[in-house]
Amino acid sequence: MLSRVIAIRRRAAAAFSTVSAKTETGLYGFDVLRTAKGFRRFVDDAIQRSDELVAYVARLPPSAEIIRAMDEISNTVCLVIDSAELCRNTHPDRDFVEEADKASMRIYEHLHYLNTNTTLYNAILKAEVESVLLTEEAQRAATTLRVDFEKGGIHLPKDKLEHANQLNIEVAQLGRKFNENVMNKPGFVDLYPASRIPRNMQHHFKPVYRFEKQSNQINTARQKGIRIVTDSGNLSSALRCISDEEVRKQVYIVGNSEPRENIGVLNELIDARYEFAKTMGCKSYADFAIRPNMAASADVVMSFLRDLSNIVRHKADEEFKMIQDFKKRICNEKSADLEPWDEDYFIGMMKSSVHNLDVSVVAKYFPLSQCLKGLNVLVESLFGATFRQIPMRDGESWHPDVIKLSLHHPDEGDLGFMYLDLYSRKGKYPGCAHFAIQGGRRLSDSTYQLPIIALVCNFSSSSGITARLSHGDVETLFHEFGHALHSLLSRTEYQHFSGTRVALDVAETPSNLFECYAWDYRVLKTFAVDETTGDAIPEKLVKALNASRNMFPATELQRQIFYSIMDLTLFGEQASKPMDTISTVANLKREHTSWKYAEGTHWHTRFTHLINYGAGYYSYLYARCFATTIWQEVCQEDPLSRSTGTALRDKFLRYGGSKDPSSLLKDFLGDAIIRNSGAGIIPDIGSLCKDIGL
């Protein structure tokens, strides 16, 4: 079995050409990280270097050199922050994880000191005011840095600044606690007998046993059951695949009622963010968070979301009735109600029955090695570049599964580096994500600091057939690859603007755009191949996948609107303290979706976007509007052409966050892609409505 798994992983690595070079180093190529305790020195060195740069800035007259030195400080600190974050989420060695955790806390303390350093703030003010910045990017960098300082309250009177500092620390601690509870307290359901779970699913879950009295009340028998730990992955699988409605109900209710501890944590977080926003002179945390973005205010976003909710409601209600009627036919019950735990199961059943989709048949065209070749197809066709596998130096990798690639262009040389950590393992970050390690920046006229990132996924590799992806996995891979390309292809003067370091409104645009590539037959046929026969995926099957996807588009959009409104409401103006978040979320679901709310549940207490994207979840919908427009107007006609790739790279990806996002979008696609709304900007929804048939 082990040899089969190793062979699969070797085939995945073989998707790329290789170059050779091998010497000793530390984690991610940083010599200082040869051991776990190297994180201590990493932080010490960063603090020393940034202190030297602070002293240097203090001696400078107003000039562009202030911006360059500030970016050097940012680069120094971000190397530690980003490396520690990746290590905390992926390293199998607990010593490394614990040291990275300590390093993260120490460097954030130092970052707090830097963000409240009046020497740096005053230097930025002078450089911005005295018009010594000659380039548009330098001017934008100065403005962005000033705004970042002021987000921490540096411009406030001393007593208010100290209060804001304490609240910032409290918010960070509560966010960490919320996320830890989600990871460590997922909840579980024990189900007896085991036969209530489909046999082909039982190996995913843990067997449990109990002793039951026989009918004679004397003898006992050992009965096997199944324990479903209701983390997000297991919950999704169970709700999609288990036919027993009572089991689905149990799993849904438990899975959406944990961790209970986060009810209190979230209340404290809401109060702390609200108090912080009031200290900063804003009427709500949502206004504080959105103010620097294109949207400019929570009112602008809420108006956009409510309008979109009204537009989609009729079609979503029609889709709900279709699902309800289907359940009545399947269950042969004319009065059968549609419950929240029915959604994934009956939608999946309807899609399969209408379009005759067998997930195992679909997956055979997506062996992981071929999907990785698909990434190569994209960069070669669009940008004339290729991925090359680079043997890592001793100490550089954190797990034997990890491979390192360079994105290489025949004329430009290496454009950046990407680690791939693709397989699931215990203790690893549970989802798929793009992690920055080093941002790109201009070092001199002839030298550029190349970006380094990691693409982390959790694909199964437990047997000889499980290195095949579902089409949903392929879409997720392409989504994260969109983020990766944003990082690898940006060419900014300052690392502060590198890749995904952009206004929140547009951050998810490249990832949403590359999801579109995962649905296009012209793209899929270049790499989606049955390895046993060599046959490319049939066009008929891709059409069926797309038809299946388009069966309930309003239901999915309605869900995203609800999430966004919920996020904005929880961090909006507070009428009472503490807020009853359970009833608030229940009422919003009833108002903005066609589905019931399961009484007593509180799924939002495991919705980690409330921590990482607080009052910012709406940006997914903004990005989807932008990405859909880019796809329809730039990519759809010939998605793999070099001209398409040149337009994407030269007019969008290369700028990272160095250009005002509204100007970036208008220069790329014309004025119609965005619209003014009050004091802010909203996306045009025409392409999105067309995409979902509205």
Side-chain angles (χ1 to χ4, degrees):
M1 179 70 73
L2 183 59
S3 62
R4 281 206 304 260
V5 172
I6 292 170
I8 288 166
R9 296 179 183 183
R10 283 177 179 161
R11 285 203 298 275
F16 308 100
S17 61
T18 60
V19 294
S20 58
K22 202 159 187 177
T23 54
E24 280 192 25
T25 188
L27 195 61
Y28 318 134
F30 299 129
D31 284 339
V32 71
L33 297 181
R34 289 173 185 252
T35 66
K37 289 183 179 177
F39 269 107
R40 302 178 190 182
R41 176 70 182 276
F42 204 16
V43 177
D44 291 341
D45 290 349
I47 291 173
Q48 180 182 342
R49 176 60 180 150
S50 60
D51 285 347
E52 290 169 355
L53 288 162
V54 171
Y56 174 61
V57 169
R59 299 192 299 270
L60 288 172
S63 64
E65 180 62 13
I66 287 174
I67 309 302
R68 193 208 64 77
M70 292 280 289
D71 194 61
E72 174 75 20
I73 294 173
S74 178
N75 182 73
T76 301
V77 172
C78 284
L79 281 176
V80 180
I81 290 173
D82 293 337
S83 298
E85 188 66 13
L86 176 60
C87 182
R88 288 173 58 232
N89 282 281
T90 60
H91 209 294
D93 187 326
R94 289 304 306 171
D95 289 341
F96 266 95
V97 172
E98 288 169 10
E99 289 293 340
D101 207 37
K102 293 174 189 173
S104 180
M105 287 188 277
R106 280 188 64 207
I107 199 66
Y108 270 113
E109 286 175 9
H110 184 65
L111 182 62
H112 171 68
Y113 154 75
L114 293 170
N115 286 339
T116 55
N117 187 294
T118 52
T119 298
L120 297 177
Y121 178 60
N122 290 331
I124 285 291
L125 284 179
K126 286 182 180 178
E128 190 179 20
V129 169
E130 296 189 18
S131 302
V132 294
L133 306 174
L134 301 179
T135 69
E136 182 183 337
E137 186 171 344
Q139 291 167 4
R140 180 166 169 76
T143 301
T144 304
L145 287 166
R146 174 180 56 77
V147 169
D148 287 346
F149 274 115
E150 292 173 357
K151 276 180 170 178
I154 196 170
H155 59 300
L156 297 174
K158 186 177 179 181
D159 59 332
K160 285 192 172 183
L161 175 57
E162 289 178 358
H163 186 49
N165 290 342
Q166 283 303 118
L167 288 167
N168 258 329
I169 292 168
E170 184 181 345
V171 165
Q173 290 171 341
L174 288 166
R176 185 181 289 257
K177 190 174 181 181
F178 186 100
N179 286 336
E180 286 175 353
N181 285 340
V182 171
M183 286 190 69
N184 299 329
K185 300 177 180 180
F188 65 89
V189 177
D190 287 344
L191 297 158
Y192 295 92
S195 58
R196 297 180 75 187
I197 306 299
R199 186 176 294 276
N200 64 352
M201 288 188 68
Q202 291 184 14
H203 69 280
H204 292 296
F205 309 121
K206 180 182 176 182
V208 289
Y209 299 90
R210 69 180 179 186
F211 288 93
E212 222 179 19
K213 284 191 175 182
Q214 300 292 293
S215 56
N216 59 20
Q217 297 293 307
I218 299 173
N219 297 324
T220 59
R222 186 168 180 252
Q223 186 181 37
K224 180 182 177 182
I226 295 291
R227 171 167 295 179
I228 299 179
V229 176
T230 51
D231 58 41
S232 58
N234 285 341
L235 183 61
S236 175
S237 296
L239 293 176
R240 194 171 58 247
C241 301
I242 294 175
S243 59
D244 186 325
E245 181 171 352
E246 188 56 39
V247 171
R248 290 200 311 275
K249 179 180 178 180
Q250 288 183 56
V251 170
Y252 179 92
I253 288 175
V254 171
N256 287 288
S257 303
E258 295 287 351
R260 289 200 61 80
E261 294 84 352
N262 275 355
I263 299 173
V265 174
L266 182 58
N267 281 334
E268 291 181 55
L269 178 71
I270 289 169
D271 289 347
R273 280 180 167 170
Y274 181 65
E275 182 66 24
F276 176 78
K278 297 292 281 185
T279 304
M280 297 296 293
C282 296
K283 64 182 181 180
S284 69
Y285 180 76
D287 265 318
F288 170 79
I290 294 169
R291 188 169 55 180
N293 300 337
M294 285 196 298
S297 80
D299 288 343
V300 168
V301 176
M302 187 62 86
S303 176
F304 167 75
L305 294 172
R306 288 188 178 278
D307 286 348
L308 201 54
S309 179
N310 291 334
I311 289 168
V312 79
R313 185 63 189 239
H314 179 69
K315 186 173 176 64
D317 285 346
E318 288 180 341
E319 292 175 1
F320 180 87
K321 189 173 186 308
M322 282 173 57
I323 303 165
Q324 188 172 44
D325 290 345
F326 182 80
K327 179 182 178 181
K328 288 176 179 178
R329 288 199 306 275
I330 292 296
C331 300
N332 199 24
E333 290 181 39
K334 290 185 178 180
S335 60
D337 283 334
L338 200 55
E339 304 292 349
W341 46 87
D342 291 332
E343 182 176 0
D344 290 348
Y345 180 71
F346 285 107
I347 284 179
M349 185 182 287
M350 288 178 76
K351 287 181 174 183
S352 296
S353 63
V354 172
H355 299 290
N356 195 27
L357 286 171
D358 183 328
V359 291
S360 63
V361 171
V362 174
K364 76 178 183 178
Y365 292 102
F366 295 114
L368 182 56
S369 57
Q370 288 299 120
C371 294
L372 297 181
K373 285 180 182 177
L375 305 186
N376 231 343
V377 167
L378 286 175
V379 297
E380 191 164 6
S381 301
L382 290 169
F383 312 116
T386 54
F387 280 115
R388 295 179 173 182
Q389 186 177 353
I390 304 173
M392 280 178 283
R393 293 176 286 170
D394 291 340
E396 183 177 357
S397 177
W398 57 99
H399 193 275
D401 288 347
V402 176
I403 60 176
K404 183 181 181 182
L405 308 174
S406 71
L407 180 60
H408 185 82
H409 192 280
D411 300 324
E412 303 172 51
D414 288 334
L415 301 176
F417 302 96
M418 177 169 69
Y419 295 99
L420 292 181
D421 183 359
L422 301 174
Y423 298 99
S424 177
R425 59 179 177 270
K426 187 177 180 181
K428 182 182 171 183
Y429 175 83
C432 293
H434 155 276
F435 289 85
I437 299 172
Q438 174 175 279
R441 61 180 177 136
R442 176 70 54 197
L443 298 176
S444 69
D445 288 343
S446 60
T447 312
Y448 194 82
Q449 174 177 291
L450 296 179
I452 305 172
I453 58 132
L455 196 59
V456 176
C457 298
N458 270 275
F459 302 134
S460 175
S461 61
S462 59
S463 75
I465 61 170
T466 52
R468 292 175 173 177
L469 308 190
S470 69
H471 185 261
D473 290 334
V474 177
E475 184 181 35
T476 300
L477 178 64
F478 276 45
H479 176 101
E480 298 303 336
F481 188 60
H483 286 308
L485 287 176
H486 204 181
S487 290
L488 294 170
L489 294 175
S490 73
R491 282 300 176 269
T492 57
E493 291 292 310
Y494 307 111
Q495 72 86 40
H496 197 71
F497 291 141
S498 179
T500 57
R501 292 166 185 172
V502 299
L504 187 63
D505 297 327
V506 294
E508 294 290 333
T509 302
S511 54
N512 274 265
L513 175 64
F514 277 88
E515 283 185 26
C516 299
Y517 277 83
W519 292 94
D520 193 286
Y521 173 68
R522 294 164 295 178
V523 176
L524 293 177
K525 72 178 182 180
T526 65
F527 70 88
V529 173
D530 183 339
E531 285 190 318
T532 58
T533 66
D535 294 335
I537 191 167
E539 186 173 9
K540 182 180 178 181
L541 181 56
V542 177
K543 285 182 176 178
L545 284 168
N546 275 280
S548 170
R549 175 200 190 196
N550 293 330
M551 280 184 73
F552 303 102
T555 300
E556 175 54 32
L557 180 58
Q558 190 181 63
R559 182 185 300 112
Q560 295 302 314
I561 296 167
F562 160 56
Y563 290 171
S564 301
I565 290 176
M566 175 199 70
D567 173 44
L568 212 58
T569 302
L570 294 182
F571 295 116
E573 292 185 71
Q574 305 299 305
S576 62
K577 292 173 68 174
M579 178 190 291
D580 182 353
T581 64
I582 295 176
S583 63
T584 297
V585 172
N587 290 335
L588 288 173
K589 183 171 185 181
R590 294 185 191 104
E591 181 181 356
H592 293 286
T593 82
S594 309
W595 294 78
K596 294 180 184 178
Y597 190 88
E599 295 300 328
T601 60
H602 44 87
W603 67 269
H604 60 285
T605 60
R606 61 164 54 184
F607 192 58
T608 56
H609 286 85
L610 295 175
I611 309 304
N612 310 322
Y613 269 66
Y617 194 83
Y618 77 92
S619 63
Y620 282 99
L621 287 169
Y622 265 51
R624 185 171 171 192
C625 291
F626 298 141
T628 306
T629 302
I630 294 170
W631 174 258
Q632 290 177 10
E633 296 192 12
V634 177
C635 306
Q636 193 168 39
E637 184 177 335
D638 195 352
L640 292 175
S641 72
R642 190 64 52 83
S643 60
T644 297
T646 299
L648 290 175
R649 184 181 179 189
D650 292 350
K651 294 184 178 181
F652 190 71
L653 297 173
R654 73 182 304 271
Y655 288 102
S658 66
K659 192 172 179 178
D660 173 73
S662 58
S663 298
L664 178 69
L665 289 163
K666 287 195 290 186
D667 290 348
F668 187 14
L669 289 158
D671 293 350
I673 190 170
I674 57 177
R675 294 192 290 117
N676 292 322
S677 175
I681 291 171
I682 62 173
D684 179 77
I685 63 171
S687 295
L688 177 63
C689 289
K690 179 181 176 183
D691 188 52
I692 66 169
L694 285 174

